Amino acid sequence: MEHSKLRRIGNGQGILLSRSICNLMGVCIGASFRIDIENDRLVLVPEEEC
């Protein structure tokens, strides 16, 4: 289990994903995600893999 904080990025907000999480998901820099909200959870679904 890993943790992350919501951070200010420019005029927006974002969550940084560690390299180990990205490796487990098979995604790399520039990957696109579909964002779903299920009940009280944010779900990121990669649209493409590296």
Side-chain angles (χ1 to χ4, degrees):
M1 179 180 290
E2 296 208 19
H3 298 271
S4 186
K5 291 184 180 181
L6 188 64
R7 302 171 186 242
R8 178 171 299 283
I9 300 176
N11 289 332
Q13 299 165 354
I15 297 172
L16 296 177
L17 301 176
S18 68
R19 179 177 289 163
S20 61
I21 292 292
C22 291
N23 289 342
L24 285 171
M25 294 177 67
V27 296
C28 57
I29 294 173
S32 296
F33 291 85
R34 185 181 77 233
I35 302 170
D36 294 326
I37 299 174
E38 297 177 1
N39 298 318
D40 62 345
R41 297 179 187 268
L42 183 66
V43 179
L44 299 175
V45 180
E47 293 185 331
E48 57 193 46
E49 295 185 7
C50 293

